[in-house]
Amino acid sequence: MADATLLTIPVAYNAGGRTGGLNLDDEPLGFQGAFSPYMKNMVVESTRLRKRQGYSRLGTGAAMSGIGMALVSYTDAQNTMHLIAFTTTSAYEYNSSTDAWDDISEAEDPWTGDSDNQFRTTVATDTTAFSQNGGSALLVVNNVDDVKYYEGKSSTTFLTLTHSFPSFSSCIDIVEFWNHLMFLGYTDTATRCRTYAFAGLSNVDDWTSATSGLATLTDTTGAIQRGVKLGSDLII
């Protein structure tokens, strides 16, 4: 192995608090380019370098079916955290006791989208619809299939959400905002790419009462892409 060669590196000139030009009188030392340390997966801590441990596989067992799409951390109403991996066709929950990924997909009605259909999630509250584990659930959409939900109770799976939205088939995003479940950029009898609908207060199955409704964005030339909560506001 060849010996590392040290190089002289000009540094910025500082006089009276002002920086400008190069101070060629100071000669800090550095490694020649070929011997410069590769900093990927390196951590600098208190002027010392240490190698990051890198990546390792999380979970054992058989490979997941479908193409990986999203990894979501969901905390249920009982304060239990669930790490869920979504593929184009299935959902898996990490089981820390067995170090395996348990299939929690809805067996009778799997997802049918492809890698272009992003998964979007929200946590919604409805004590009537979600009675298995404290009154809330993780809801997911992929702009192809109907809404599915998961309450997080042991030995349960994702299920298709029962709701009375007329002719609903899919939406590009789903958000619960101020206790109203919202479908953004939804499709019913046609694609409503600039329209959002919101359910009644704390009732995911109410799309007709006075506290529900819909609106179309008339001041945009593009389609709704997603909704993001920012403080007390919703950015669409």
Side-chain angles (χ1 to χ4, degrees), residues 20-21 28 49 61 70 76 110 121 124 133 144 148 156 167 174 178 188 216:
L49 296 177
D76 65 29
T121 61
N133 199 27
V144 175
K148 298 184 187 298
T156 60
S167 303
I174 187 169
W178 288 98
D188 49 12
T216 299

Side-chain angles (χ1 to χ4, degrees), residues 13 18 24 32 36 40 46 49 55-56 61 80 88 99 101 146 155 159 171 173 192 204 207 213:
Y13 176 69
R18 301 180 63 186
L24 299 179
Q32 188 179 16
S36 180
K40 186 175 182 179
S46 299
L49 296 177
Y55 303 100
S56 59
T80 300
T88 47
D99 190 34
W101 290 92
D146 206 338
S155 302
L159 297 171
C171 62
D173 201 1
R192 319 290 181 181
V204 300
W207 300 90

Side-chain angles (χ1 to χ4, degrees), residues 24-194:
L24 299 179
D25 293 329
D26 288 342
E27 298 183 352
L29 299 177
F31 284 105
Q32 188 179 16
F35 298 96
S36 180
Y38 184 45
M39 291 296 292
K40 186 175 182 179
N41 283 329
M42 297 293 290
V43 176
V44 181
E45 186 176 289
S46 299
T47 73
R48 296 180 179 180
L49 296 177
R50 62 181 174 85
K51 187 75 167 66
R52 196 192 307 273
Q53 294 303 308
Y55 303 100
S56 59
R57 179 173 177 175
L58 180 63
T60 58
M64 300 178 184
S65 64
I67 301 171
M69 295 297 294
L71 187 64
V72 175
S73 175
Y74 159 59
T75 301
D76 65 29
Q78 308 298 329
N79 200 31
T80 300
M81 194 276 285
H82 307 266
L83 185 62
I84 300 173
F86 291 99
T87 72
T88 47
T89 59
S90 307
Y92 299 85
E93 181 174 356
Y94 179 66
N95 187 327
S96 60
S97 299
T98 61
D99 190 34
W101 290 92
D102 298 334
D103 191 340
I104 56 171
S105 311
E106 184 177 14
E108 297 79 13
D109 190 16
W111 285 282
T112 60
D114 57 31
S115 59
D116 292 328
N117 304 119
Q118 297 185 33
F119 279 68
R120 301 282 173 74
T121 61
T122 194
V123 176
T125 300
D126 184 329
T127 55
T128 300
F130 310 129
S131 60
Q132 296 292 315
N133 199 27
S136 68
L138 179 72
L139 277 59
V140 58
V141 295
N142 66 347
N143 204 28
V144 175
D145 304 298
D146 206 338
V147 183
K148 298 184 187 298
Y149 72 96
Y150 179 60
E151 294 185 62
K153 186 178 180 180
S154 178
S155 302
T156 60
T157 66
F158 272 92
L159 297 171
T160 299
L161 181 67
T162 298
H163 60 83
S164 56
F165 194 98
S167 303
F168 179 89
S169 64
S170 63
C171 62
I172 195 169
D173 201 1
I174 187 169
V175 178
E176 184 179 74
F177 184 64
W178 288 98
N179 294 329
H180 294 271
L181 182 64
M182 302 180 68
F183 295 158
L184 281 68
Y186 63 87
T187 298
D188 49 12
T189 57
T191 298
R192 319 290 181 181
C193 68
R194 298 190 186 97

